[in-house]
Amino acid sequence: MKIFMILLTGLTLSFCAYSQSTVKGKIQDSTARSGLSGATIQLRNTSFSRSTVSAMSGEFSFAEIPNGSYKLTVTFVGFDNYEKTITLQGNNIDLGTIELGKSGKTLTEVVIKATTPPTQQKGDTVQFNANQFKVNPDANVEDLVKKMPGIQIENGEVKAQGETVRKVTIDGREFFGDDATAALRNLPAEVVDKIQVFDRLSDQAQLTGVDDGNSVKAINVVTREDRRNGQFGRVYAGYGTDDRYQAGGAVNFFNKNRRISVVGLFNNINQQNFSSSDMLGLSGGNSGRGGGMGRGGSGNFQTGQQNGITKTNALGLNYSDLWGKKLETSGSYFFNNNTNNRSQLTNREQFNTNVPNSFYTENAESINISTSHRFNMRMQYKIDSQKSLIITPSLSYQENDIRSYTSGEQTNLDGTVTSRTVDPNRVKGNGYNFNNNIFYRQALGKTRRSFGIGLTTGFSNRNSTREQQTISTFFKALTPEYDSTFQQSLSETRSQNYSANLEYSEPIGKKGSLQFRYNPGYSKNEADTRAYRFDDNAGKYTILDTSLSNVFTNNVTTQRGGINYRVGDRQRMFAIGVDLQNTELDNDQTYPAKGNLKKSFSNILPNAMFRGKIGEKSNLMMFYRASTSTPSVNQLQNVININNVLFPTTGNPNLDQSYSNTLSTRYTYSDSRKGNSFFFNLFATNTMDYVTNATFTATSDSVLTPTFTLKQGSRLSKPVNLDGYWNLRTFATYSFPFKSIKSNITFNGGYNYVKTPGLINNMLNETRNSTFSGGIILASNISEYVDFNINYNASRSIVKNDLQQNLNNKYFSQSAGVRLNLLSKSGWYIDNELNNMLYRGLTAEFNQDYWLWNAAIGKKFLKDQKGDLRLSVFDLLKQNRSISRTVSSDGIEDNWTQVLQQYFMLTFSYRLRNFGKAPAPAERRMQRPMNPMTPGGPIAPGGQRGDGGPGGGPSMPIAYGDSTME
């Protein structure tokens, strides 16, 4: 609460200390005595500038102008200019009628050459104009956004302003649900007019204007007006050495509001144009990570291709349309069948206290066959001007069949082998998820007075069968001791959840509103895992082992209510609120032992936000929120999991809720005339009762159940609550044009700090991981015929531990690359991409320095160069590899994973391109989904903001850049 009060005081002072004024008037022809429409009016002083144009009647107005002295300038072609100095002191000024006389000068023909700025700041939205970023004719949207400042592609994941992009929409509409990868990789860059980056609120928050904490970083792709009617896309097929192949395509049918997209791909070269998911949680196989790894935070890194070699068969369909004038509908279906072959080498150093550190080396081979179906739908019905309804169902189904073979070896500090294990196993599973959200909102006559109710339901069911045949050898005084585990586990997990959200908003004054909300919820999770030992007499698994079985039911009931006060407009907004929450946990267990545990948690959850413009070029957003996290069913179950007998895990039914305080700050600056932009983000989270891991290394054989003994040197892990978790992330990027070579330069840098508490043999160990990173990108903007990109990134991490400071570690990684694509007007082209990766400070065999060179040569032919024949080579130097590091409170782990090696391929592709005439724009349209936390225009269908909202603005001509007269 102390942090909250300090933040609240600072935000309140910054808001209240800013006094503003309003200026209005009317521009009139002094001869005809009629209003002049389209006259340009500007208010300017040394630190502030704002422009507008007069309406049809000649009237104009400025709102929220800071106090001070300004020069008012009025210009209109063919009329004399008008200038006047005015002083604002928190008052409203009416300038009355300003008359302009006709100019005596005779004007010759005037040609205006306006330069569209590459980057613009529109309210809370950063907008990039696509025509200012040159790419090859065959580029997709992902190729385009990689040239834009603040947007990066890391390991196939799109990040904007340091945050992962969770959603991509097309003209404000859903495209393959929440699959950000699908939109960026399956749409051609030539259809794009603008790219808009913003924080997208949930559907419910968009309608109510109350941020519910579920916002995500999003990108909206605004298409060109002349590309919204027609058929376009690309189909291709290729074959190469080592039986490598690829085929597929993406075809789009746009007819005004109706849009249909069909995408497909079939290959064995690790191409995946959709995001992947592991709904069943099975694809991790049988790693020796134990319970401690995977919670290392932002100091971890991954490079290269992470998932072995994958054969993919995928097909997707997306549909969106307006049914009548009131119902907007979108839906998608996606089918994916993957066969993944992976080899992985793992080296892990395990921190200990009462004994020296130990080391674990693992070799794992696996084949994972996965089939999934995914369906999403969104319907928004605007009943009338006062009422609206949104329904968003989703359904997914997945099957997995995983065969793996793992061999592991554990050694002491001097290299003496203490244990070995060999584990062939097979896991088969299937499951489904269904979720549905319904939200209804009704305005109640008066501005900002509204009522909303939301209902959420969810159901899931997962089944799996695991067959495990582990043979282990433990060395005691150099004498081997053998142990074996032959077990079959049958698991079923069922869950259901229901929640409601009721909200009411009441206007307070001219710009304020008071919002009340109530959010009850109930969830039930049932886990039933039966472990069977092998019966030698029957020749099958029939002996139930209740000590390793688990039958568990978890019921969670939540009551939450709160109040928010919000005041401001599209220029500046401040909000503050508080929620009271009570959570009741009721856990029933049958196996491994009968028991019941009930817990109750009560929390106060404050929140505050400030968003405002700083002059014409900058925006600042500050946000604070307190939140809780309830332990998962797997974390609560106190059954022993022996999927890896050297690193068994168990749950903890005594876990409490985690309580987190999060502060985020975002500053954006954009100079449209110069093309410069600067972004800075800061995110800080502190968590009390953080769920981390406690590990225990056995110094002698320890009997845990009647059928399982933790052998000497083995390691048991279970979740516990500890205070002291911190996560601090900063990211900054600065971009400007390098006009002499028609390119853009982007500098970026960041600092990440993660402090993770953990228990090692009942002693507290806090691991502090600090990472400094920086880079530079030089991206060409010469033409579609010359496209190059030069980049360099480096990061240095420092890991410190409380218990054994002599084991503090430093490691360094860097990547440097150059991409050059040259295209002739006759259709010949050459593509080259060369990257260097370097690692230092890892375990010996992971300190690598290698090059990855991909190249291609090709010829475009047929009418309009729609055909393309391409000869390409992947990994020309045969050096490709994949390396990752994970840092946690109880160890450091390095992984090497099998990747695709060199192949040559000949590919033919055909580009579809048939566009009709664009409709004559009757008015300026707003495409970006609205963000009501930046007050502005009215809510439009589809969750968009009408004229006056961020990214839209009033319907007026605005000129950017320099103009010349000829």
Side-chain angles (χ1 to χ4, degrees):
M1 288 300 293
K2 183 178 180 180
I3 296 175
F4 169 66
M5 293 305 298
I6 294 174
L7 173 67
L8 172 60
T9 302
L11 293 180
T12 304
L13 289 176
S14 65
F15 180 77
C16 296
Y18 193 82
S19 182
Q20 300 172 327
S21 304
T22 300
V23 179
K24 66 178 181 178
K26 179 179 180 180
I27 310 301
Q28 182 173 284
D29 183 340
S30 62
T31 302
R33 302 290 179 178
S34 59
L36 290 176
S37 172
T40 300
I41 305 98
Q42 184 180 53
L43 270 179
R44 181 173 56 186
N45 61 17
T46 57
S47 60
F48 182 90
S49 177
R50 184 176 296 176
S51 299
T52 188
V53 296
S54 57
M56 292 293 294
S57 62
E59 295 178 344
F60 69 91
S61 65
F62 293 99
E64 309 297 334
I65 306 299
N67 291 342
S69 181
Y70 294 87
K71 177 184 284 187
L72 176 77
T73 304
V74 183
T75 59
F76 193 80
V77 176
F79 287 78
D80 293 327
N81 294 343
Y82 174 87
E83 292 184 356
K84 181 178 181 178
T85 300
I86 60 175
T87 301
L88 304 179
Q89 297 179 340
N91 54 328
N92 298 329
I93 295 181
D94 187 349
L95 297 174
T97 300
I98 299 174
E99 294 188 342
L100 300 184
K102 291 188 177 181
S103 172
K105 296 181 181 180
T106 302
L107 296 179
T108 58
E109 182 179 359
V110 176
V111 177
I112 304 237
K113 295 181 179 179
T115 302
T116 305
T119 307
Q120 294 173 267
Q121 183 71 45
K122 292 181 172 290
D124 64 337
T125 301
V126 178
Q127 178 172 288
F128 301 98
N129 294 297
N131 60 2
Q132 294 300 301
F133 300 90
K134 306 299 182 183
V135 292
N136 290 150
D138 292 335
N140 58 27
V141 179
E142 185 177 82
D143 297 324
L144 175 65
V145 300
K146 284 193 291 188
K147 286 178 168 284
M148 297 173 175
I151 301 180
Q152 297 173 304
I153 310 295
E154 297 181 5
N155 299 308
E157 192 174 63
V158 185
K159 291 190 174 182
Q161 302 166 7
E163 298 178 73
T164 300
V165 174
R166 301 295 182 187
K167 197 174 193 67
V168 175
T169 53
I170 309 299
D171 293 324
R173 299 187 192 177
E174 301 274 338
F175 193 84
F176 284 101
D178 293 331
D179 196 332
T181 305
L184 298 180
R185 293 185 178 176
N186 292 297
L187 280 179
E190 69 165 329
V191 306
V192 180
D193 182 30
K194 299 176 180 67
I195 297 292
Q196 298 171 334
V197 180
F198 61 103
D199 290 323
R200 179 187 174 99
L201 301 179
S202 66
D203 287 333
Q204 183 161 322
Q206 288 184 36
L207 290 184
T208 63
V210 180
D211 188 350
D212 55 9
N214 295 318
S215 63
V216 296
K217 183 63 69 177
I219 287 178
N220 181 50
V221 179
V222 181
T223 58
R224 292 167 48 180
E225 289 278 359
D226 60 347
R227 295 293 187 269
R228 296 178 183 174
N229 285 284
Q231 304 83 42
F232 58 93
R234 175 176 171 263
V235 293
Y236 60 90
Y239 188 78
T241 57
D242 300 324
D243 289 327
R244 300 297 176 195
Y245 67 88
Q246 64 171 341
V251 182
N252 303 274
F253 304 89
F254 282 19
N255 182 12
K256 297 181 180 179
N257 291 317
R258 179 177 298 165
R259 300 180 178 186
I260 300 174
S261 298
V262 181
V263 297
L265 65 159
F266 313 90
N267 67 82
N268 60 357
I269 56 173
N270 286 9
Q271 284 189 359
Q272 178 77 298
N273 285 358
F274 298 87
S275 62
S276 59
S277 62
D278 179 23
M279 186 183 76
L280 302 180
L282 302 177
S283 63
N286 192 25
S287 171
R289 290 183 176 88
M293 306 311 293
R295 303 189 69 90
S298 59
N300 308 329
F301 69 82
Q302 294 180 326
T303 63
Q305 302 171 61
Q306 299 300 315
N307 297 316
I309 299 176
T310 302
K311 175 183 175 182
T312 299
N313 300 297
L315 183 67
L317 174 68
N318 189 82
Y319 170 85
S320 67
D321 198 2
L322 288 179
W323 293 353
K325 296 181 179 181
K326 296 184 177 182
L327 181 59
E328 178 179 325
T329 304
S330 63
S332 64
Y333 167 75
F334 174 62
F335 166 80
N336 193 3
N337 173 259
N338 286 335
T339 300
N340 175 265
N341 289 270
R342 174 162 53 176
S343 298
Q344 181 169 294
L345 170 65
T346 299
N347 278 356
R348 184 181 184 202
E349 181 177 5
Q350 302 165 148
F351 303 152
N352 290 316
T353 54
N354 54 346
V355 294
N357 284 2
S358 58
F359 298 85
Y360 178 73
T361 300
E362 178 184 273
N363 285 280
E365 306 277 342
S366 66
I367 300 177
N368 182 357
I369 302 174
S370 173
T371 301
S372 63
H373 304 265
R374 193 170 69 208
F375 170 79
N376 297 279
M377 192 171 186
R378 185 180 191 275
M379 296 174 287
Q380 179 162 332
Y381 179 48
K382 186 177 181 182
I383 303 171
D384 55 35
S385 61
Q386 303 294 314
K387 308 181 193 72
S388 57
L389 178 69
I390 296 178
I391 303 175
T392 55
S394 64
L395 175 66
S396 58
Y397 175 80
Q398 181 177 325
E399 294 179 350
N400 277 87
D401 186 353
I402 305 172
R403 298 173 184 264
S404 65
Y405 182 89
T406 303
S407 61
E409 181 178 271
Q410 193 161 236
T411 60
N412 288 330
L413 189 62
D414 60 3
T416 302
V417 178
T418 59
S419 61
R420 289 194 180 103
T421 183
V422 175
D423 182 14
N425 70 68
R426 183 178 184 181
V427 184
K428 296 183 68 175
N430 62 76
Y432 71 85
N433 281 339
F434 172 78
N435 292 282
N436 186 49
N437 297 286
I438 302 175
F439 185 73
Y440 170 81
R441 176 185 179 270
Q442 179 174 349
L444 300 177
K446 192 174 181 179
T447 303
R448 300 191 306 279
R449 178 182 291 162
S450 64
F451 169 78
I453 180 171
L455 300 174
T456 299
T457 55
F459 305 93
S460 69
N461 188 291
R462 304 175 187 182
N463 297 275
S464 66
T465 300
R466 177 187 293 270
E467 293 184 6
Q468 181 178 352
Q469 299 176 355
T470 304
I471 300 176
S472 303
T473 305
F474 299 91
F475 298 90
K476 299 178 180 179
L478 303 180
T479 301
E481 179 181 310
Y482 300 100
D483 189 23
S484 61
T485 301
F486 292 82
Q487 177 178 287
Q488 182 185 71
S489 298
L490 305 179
S491 298
E492 181 179 11
T493 301
R494 299 176 299 274
S495 69
Q496 51 185 301
N497 63 81
Y498 312 89
S499 66
N501 194 22
L502 290 82
E503 298 184 350
Y504 174 77
S505 179
E506 177 67 22
I508 303 294
K510 292 183 178 180
K511 297 182 180 180
S513 61
L514 201 59
Q515 294 147 343
F516 303 88
R517 59 183 172 273
Y518 172 59
N519 178 212
Y522 171 78
S523 66
K524 182 177 183 179
N525 299 279
E526 300 173 278
D528 188 338
T529 300
R530 312 282 176 130
Y532 294 90
R533 299 200 308 272
F534 190 77
D535 187 342
D536 292 328
N537 295 325
K540 54 185 177 180
Y541 297 95
T542 58
I543 304 174
L544 177 64
D545 186 344
T546 58
S547 67
L548 296 178
S549 297
N550 177 55
V551 177
F552 186 88
T553 301
N554 168 245
N555 296 277
V556 181
T557 304
T558 303
Q559 305 284 343
R560 179 168 177 167
I563 184 173
N564 263 66
Y565 174 70
R566 194 181 82 175
V567 61
D569 55 24
R570 62 178 305 206
Q571 300 296 326
R572 180 166 273 107
M573 190 272 288
F574 174 72
I576 184 171
V578 64
D579 285 9
L580 301 179
Q581 177 178 283
N582 176 261
T583 303
E584 301 283 346
L585 267 66
D586 186 355
N587 300 326
D588 280 310
Q589 181 175 280
T590 303
Y591 294 143
K594 287 189 176 182
N596 177 267
L597 178 65
K598 295 183 179 182
K599 283 193 172 186
S600 178
F601 307 97
S602 295
N603 301 107
I604 299 175
L605 305 173
N607 66 84
M609 186 180 72
F610 170 78
R611 178 184 284 129
K613 297 189 68 174
I614 305 175
E616 286 294 295
K617 302 176 182 178
S618 303
N619 282 264
L620 176 68
M621 189 278 288
M622 298 180 67
F623 182 84
Y624 164 80
R625 176 179 294 276
S627 61
T628 62
S629 178
T630 302
S632 69
V633 175
N634 289 335
Q635 292 173 330
L636 292 169
Q637 301 169 32
N638 64 343
V639 65
I640 303 294
N641 184 316
I642 59 170
N643 289 345
N644 189 314
V645 296
L646 299 183
F647 301 96
T649 63
T650 185
N652 182 359
N654 295 311
L655 286 176
D656 291 333
Q657 278 188 329
S658 297
Y659 186 98
S660 297
N661 294 284
T662 300
L663 172 68
S664 67
T665 300
R666 180 179 299 111
Y667 172 79
T668 61
Y669 169 88
S670 178
D671 189 329
S672 300
R673 292 185 178 275
K674 295 182 179 180
N676 299 349
S677 61
F678 175 76
F679 309 110
F680 174 79
N681 289 351
L682 182 148
F683 307 92
T685 299
N686 170 246
T687 302
M688 294 175 285
D689 284 326
Y690 175 72
V691 179
T692 184
N693 282 287
T695 58
F696 170 77
T697 301
T699 56
S700 61
D701 291 356
S702 304
V703 177
L704 299 184
T705 77
T707 58
F708 178 73
T709 299
L710 184 68
K711 296 294 184 177
Q712 179 181 340
S714 298
R715 197 175 179 98
L716 175 69
S717 174
K718 78 170 185 177
V720 294
N721 292 111
L722 290 177
D723 292 338
Y725 174 82
W726 281 92
N727 189 328
L728 172 68
R729 294 182 290 124
T730 65
F731 177 80
T733 180
Y734 176 65
S735 179
F736 61 92
F738 194 169
K739 295 182 179 179
S740 60
I741 58 173
K742 295 184 178 180
S743 301
N744 292 322
I745 294 181
T746 300
F747 293 93
N748 61 73
Y751 171 72
N752 295 344
Y753 172 78
V754 179
K755 187 177 81 169
T756 307
L759 291 178
I760 301 176
N761 296 325
N762 293 321
M763 296 184 65
L764 177 65
N765 181 51
E766 291 184 335
T767 299
R768 296 170 175 84
N769 193 338
S770 300
T771 301
F772 302 85
S773 61
I776 182 174
I777 301 172
L778 176 64
S780 68
N781 253 341
I782 300 174
S783 73
E784 63 181 22
Y785 300 103
V786 179
D787 182 18
F788 68 83
N789 183 297
I790 302 172
N791 63 82
Y792 175 82
N793 285 279
S795 68
R796 181 174 179 81
S797 296
I798 302 172
V799 181
K800 296 183 178 180
N801 299 281
D802 284 350
L803 287 181
Q804 298 188 26
Q805 298 183 9
N806 60 312
L807 296 176
N808 293 343
N809 182 259
K810 299 178 180 179
Y811 54 96
F812 174 82
S813 67
Q814 73 171 31
S815 63
V818 58
R819 189 185 76 246
L820 175 63
N821 298 335
L822 301 175
L823 171 66
S824 70
K825 294 184 178 180
S826 62
W828 286 98
Y829 63 88
I830 298 176
D831 293 348
N832 273 283
E833 185 172 3
L834 181 64
N835 293 280
N836 172 254
M837 304 297 300
L838 180 144
Y839 312 98
R840 293 292 182 265
L842 310 183
T843 49
E845 59 266 48
F846 290 85
N847 285 323
Q848 301 283 340
D849 182 1
Y850 67 91
W851 295 84
L852 178 61
W853 186 4
N854 302 327
I857 184 172
K859 177 69 167 68
K860 296 180 182 296
F861 58 102
L862 302 181
K863 184 179 180 180
D864 298 327
Q865 296 187 347
K866 292 182 178 179
D868 185 316
L869 190 62
R870 174 189 182 94
L871 177 63
S872 60
V873 55
F874 175 82
D875 189 18
L876 183 61
L877 303 179
K878 296 184 178 181
Q879 294 186 16
N880 189 30
R881 62 201 71 176
S882 170
I883 297 170
S884 67
R885 164 161 284 199
T886 305
V887 178
S888 74
S889 60
D890 64 345
I892 297 177
E893 180 176 289
D894 294 332
N895 287 280
W896 172 91
T897 306
Q898 173 193 16
V899 293
L900 200 61
Q901 295 289 314
Q902 183 193 88
Y903 67 86
F904 292 80
M905 182 169 289
L906 184 67
T907 304
F908 170 76
S909 64
Y910 183 80
R911 186 160 56 115
L912 306 173
R913 193 172 183 274
N914 179 29
F915 294 104
K917 293 183 179 180
E923 58 179 314
R924 184 172 181 172
R925 294 175 173 86
M926 173 58 204
Q927 301 297 341
R928 204 211 87 175
M930 78 89 159
N931 186 346
M933 297 306 292
T934 301
I939 296 174
Q944 302 171 355
R945 184 179 295 281
D947 291 341
S955 179
M956 63 178 67
I958 300 177
Y960 294 96
D962 298 329
S963 298
T964 59
M965 299 178 63
E966 297 181 353

